[in-house]
Amino acid sequence: MDLNVKKICCIGAGYVGGPTMAVIAKNCPHLEVNVVDKNQSRIDAWNESDLDKLPIYEPGLKDIIKRYRGINLHFSSDIKTNIANADLIFISVNTPTKTKGFGAGQASDLKWIDSSAREISKYAKGQTIVVEKSTLPVRTAQTIKEILEGAASNTKSNSEKPKFSVLSNPEFLAEGTAIDDLENPDRVLIGGDNQESISILVDIYKNWISEEKIITTNLWSAELSKLIANAFLAQRISSINSISALCEYTGANISEVSLAIGSDKRIGEKFLNAGPGFGGSCFKKDISNLIYIANHYGLTEVSEYWQKVIDINEWQTKRISKLIVEKLFNTISSKKICILGFAFKANTNDTRESPAIKICKELLEESCKISIYDPKVNCKQIENDLLVKQSNELSENETGEWIFANSIIEASVNSDAIIVATEWEEFKFINWRKIYKEMRKPAWVFDTRSIINIQEVKDSGINYWRIGEGITQ
Ligand code: NAD
Ligand code: UGA
């Protein structure tokens, strides 16, 4: 493949496509980067002149968009032209779990991958490198190759047929730290069977990443490694969460246990924070996919092993909701509960699979009143997630209702309990004495992230429960 890459196209302007291409554009001024999406309103949001209205909130993203958008970074819904002009195309579309049909609840829904491959084969010209950026089941590259070649031969004469090579280049960024993860990754992984195409992609990354951090493998290792990286990370969280419950019964303290075990270099200190269960669009989806693949190959013991990681995660969230009800005298009917944080983690406006959604739904079932405050998640998003419209004001009726609040203090007025569900920085510095005055007594705070200033809470007179702390009262 004799190719001098000048133009890049990325299909999918989501949480991965947008930030990833922004960082490539920043570090490769010689390349033109075009991000396309079939969702016109998402493209319009990326082109917003008010940078606070970008579709994604990520620290550092606004600055890059401000400097490079319209220079060598473009967002467009013209998929045809941008595919036709591209030398290299990233596929960054969504790959959620199937909700119906064969493999529902476990297998990845590959319809958006299939349609992207067909669009590429229809519009691409000449030699094109196609790069899987989405997280995919192992061996999807084979499917993409077959679609690219098959569909092209349907529509084009031999002389017009484009030539494709397919690479796997999974993305390891985490939301909330996406820009830093992209600028300073632990590694970049590139799988493929065409050495020249691999070298071309390696050269793009070498513009800002040192070569020793770039790992090249065969296609299947790259595809599988992405699923396994997420499975291992999620497994750590389920492991520490399972121990958090044990701490609560025995008087041990999960933060101390995390520190003690994490100081062993072989275990490592990261990803040992107990919490309300992992959320986000990927961990559950990717482990479910791993389980599906293991079952497909008849590896029942393997699938059962990984299923437990999901089971513990669901159990952890549920046990917290249950425990809140129990502490509030086994009834929360008509009581007001304040939820601080709705995003699945701090520094993002993403709520996909957020544990806060499950906790709110379970509490609403108990007919309580909920006020929700999150620094970055808007009211409309919460309505979509809870599948219940917000009330204009909380009534006296014995029905579950919720209301959106614009500040911590507004959310906490007249509440019986406060639940810290996301580890936003501002929740670490709450003036609990002030909050206590606004609450109904006896007042409770439930810290599911172990972040609040416990001394201040104790001094304020509020009862508290903290994840993994053996102080059950
Ligand atoms: P997303 O839903 O935010 O974005 C995907 C975008 O693709 C959507 O805007 C959708 O409209 C667009 N799209 C789908 N089909 C299209 C088509 N045929 N033509 C044009 N546009 C199309 O998803 P995301 O969070 O960016 O995730 C994308 C992939 O990256 C997934 O496979 C995910 O597992 C993986 N991933 C996500 C993260 C993360 O932090 N979100 C991190 C690493 C990997
Ligand atoms: C995760 C991985 O960290 C990324 O490497 C990967 O690229 C991405 O999934 C993906 O494939 O989508 P993300 O889900 O954005 O990134 O965020 P994480 O920081 O991994 O957090 C996931 C969830 O685990 C959050 O709900 C977080 O609060 C929780 N978590 C994390 C804990 O409960 N404890 C911890 O110690 C760490």
Side-chain angles (χ1 to χ4, degrees):
M1 185 165 268
D2 180 22
L3 185 62
N4 181 12
V5 172
K6 293 197 184 78
K7 290 191 181 183
I8 289 180
C9 172
C10 173
I11 306 179
Y15 283 87
V16 168
T20 309
M21 293 306 121
V23 169
I24 291 184
K26 177 189 162 198
N27 290 291
C28 305
H30 57 289
L31 295 176
E32 181 184 307
V33 181
N34 293 291
V35 191
V36 297
D37 204 296
K38 60 182 180 169
N39 180 339
Q40 184 64 52
S41 59
R42 205 160 208 189
I43 290 297
D44 292 344
W46 279 110
N47 286 322
E48 259 288 343
S49 49
D50 179 353
L51 293 172
D52 287 324
K53 291 189 178 151
L54 292 178
I56 289 166
Y57 170 74
E58 274 297 333
L61 177 64
K62 239 171 33 177
D63 289 347
I64 303 183
I65 299 294
K66 190 172 164 193
R67 280 165 61 198
Y68 298 95
R69 192 179 59 190
I71 309 289
N72 68 333
L73 174 65
H74 309 277
F75 294 90
S76 160
S77 52
D78 184 353
I79 297 174
K80 180 178 171 181
T81 310
N82 284 298
I83 287 180
N85 291 341
D87 307 304
L88 185 147
I89 301 172
F90 285 99
I91 304 180
S92 274
V93 300
N94 35 327
T95 51
T97 304
K98 277 183 86 175
T99 52
K100 56 183 184 181
F102 297 117
Q106 280 189 338
S108 293
D109 192 339
L110 296 178
K111 70 179 173 208
W112 292 278
I113 293 289
D114 188 299
S115 62
S116 301
R118 281 169 205 280
E119 279 159 5
I120 295 171
S121 74
K122 197 163 158 197
Y123 302 128
K125 293 196 177 128
Q127 295 186 333
T128 311
I129 301 174
V130 177
V131 184
E132 298 172 342
K133 188 50 103 179
S134 298
T135 303
L136 296 167
V138 56
R139 297 201 73 84
T140 305
Q142 187 57 36
T143 310
I144 293 180
K145 277 183 190 174
E146 283 173 27
I147 294 175
L148 289 173
E149 280 153 22
S153 55
N154 283 342
T155 53
K156 291 179 181 162
S157 67
N158 271 346
S159 58
E160 286 181 311
K161 259 192 214 161
K163 281 202 176 66
F164 298 109
S165 72
V166 178
L167 300 177
S168 164
N169 172 217
E171 184 47 61
F172 296 100
L173 69 80
E175 288 177 31
T177 51
I179 300 302
D180 192 41
D181 294 341
L182 289 162
E183 294 269 21
N184 307 294
D186 288 345
R187 77 322 208 166
V188 166
L189 177 59
I190 299 173
D193 49 20
N194 179 312
Q195 212 43 56
E196 249 180 297
S197 305
I198 293 176
S199 302
I200 288 170
L201 189 54
V202 167
D203 283 345
I204 292 177
Y205 282 109
K206 269 170 45 188
N207 282 292
W208 76 101
I209 293 160
S210 60
E211 204 168 349
E212 53 286 6
K213 282 191 172 178
I214 305 175
I215 301 171
T216 57
T217 65
N218 77 28
L219 272 168
W220 322 128
S221 304
E223 287 179 332
L224 187 59
S225 299
K226 171 63 199 177
L227 287 186
I228 305 310
N230 274 358
F232 269 58
L233 290 168
Q235 180 201 44
R236 266 174 92 86
I237 301 171
S238 280
S239 297
I240 205 72
N241 283 345
S242 73
I243 304 306
S244 71
L246 196 55
C247 286
E248 288 158 31
Y249 284 104
T250 57
N253 180 318
I254 197 66
S255 305
E256 292 174 358
V257 173
S258 293
L259 177 70
I261 63 166
S263 304
D264 183 329
K265 285 198 194 73
R266 294 169 302 171
I267 296 174
E269 63 183 358
K270 296 204 172 124
F271 253 70
L272 286 178
N273 294 324
F278 56 76
S281 61
C282 293
F283 281 173
K284 186 175 174 194
K285 148 178 103 66
D286 293 345
I287 299 179
S288 301
N289 191 218
L290 178 61
I291 292 167
Y292 183 75
I293 294 168
N295 277 332
H296 171 79
Y297 291 110
L299 299 168
T300 315
E301 285 74 9
V302 177
S303 69
E304 284 173 356
Y305 174 75
W306 289 104
Q307 180 61 48
K308 271 287 162 215
V309 174
I310 295 181
D311 293 348
I312 286 285
N313 197 52
E314 282 166 7
W315 169 80
Q316 177 79 343
T317 315
K318 214 179 184 89
R319 86 175 178 89
I320 291 175
S321 309
K322 200 160 165 248
L323 173 153
I324 292 166
V325 177
E326 281 166 10
K327 296 265 182 226
L328 298 177
F329 311 109
N330 284 309
T331 174
I332 53 168
S333 178
S334 299
K335 289 182 181 163
K336 184 179 169 194
I337 303 207
C338 157
I339 305 283
L340 295 185
F342 201 77
F344 79 95
K345 62 183 282 195
N347 296 320
T348 177
N349 60 346
D350 196 347
T351 61
R352 291 178 288 181
E353 297 288 335
S354 176
I357 300 174
K358 291 180 216 151
I359 292 175
C360 286
K361 282 186 172 170
E362 277 157 3
L363 298 183
L364 286 171
E365 280 284 301
E366 296 286 323
S367 309
C368 71
K369 313 288 166 188
I370 293 182
S371 57
I372 303 174
Y373 167 71
D374 186 287
K376 290 289 172 198
V377 180
N378 62 41
C379 178
K380 201 165 165 17
Q381 184 60 51
I382 300 174
E383 280 188 345
N384 287 342
D385 291 330
L386 294 181
L387 303 170
V388 184
K389 274 189 114 34
Q390 82 149 332
S391 304
N392 291 334
E393 56 181 34
L394 298 175
S395 69
E396 302 280 304
N397 305 337
E398 282 193 20
T399 46
E401 287 174 331
W402 73 275
I403 196 162
F404 184 76
N406 289 302
S407 66
I408 299 172
I409 196 89
E410 184 188 321
S412 62
V413 171
N414 292 330
S415 63
D416 295 271
I418 293 176
I419 301 168
V420 179
T422 312
E423 73 283 21
W424 284 103
E425 194 65 13
E426 64 183 279
F427 302 157
K428 295 178 187 167
F429 306 102
I430 292 175
N431 180 339
W432 289 104
R433 282 171 194 270
K434 195 167 150 200
I435 297 285
Y436 180 64
K437 287 188 193 136
E438 302 295 336
M439 295 178 74
R440 217 162 72 120
K441 318 294 181 304
W444 273 90
V445 58
F446 296 88
D447 181 8
T448 74
R449 298 282 187 170
S450 214
I451 55 154
I452 60 170
N453 184 331
I454 274 310
Q455 197 51 51
E456 285 219 8
V457 173
K458 279 185 188 160
D459 294 346
S460 72
I462 305 181
N463 301 302
Y464 79 94
W465 172 88
R466 185 142 81 155
I467 189 97
E469 221 171 82
I471 51 149
T472 2
Q473 289 160 1

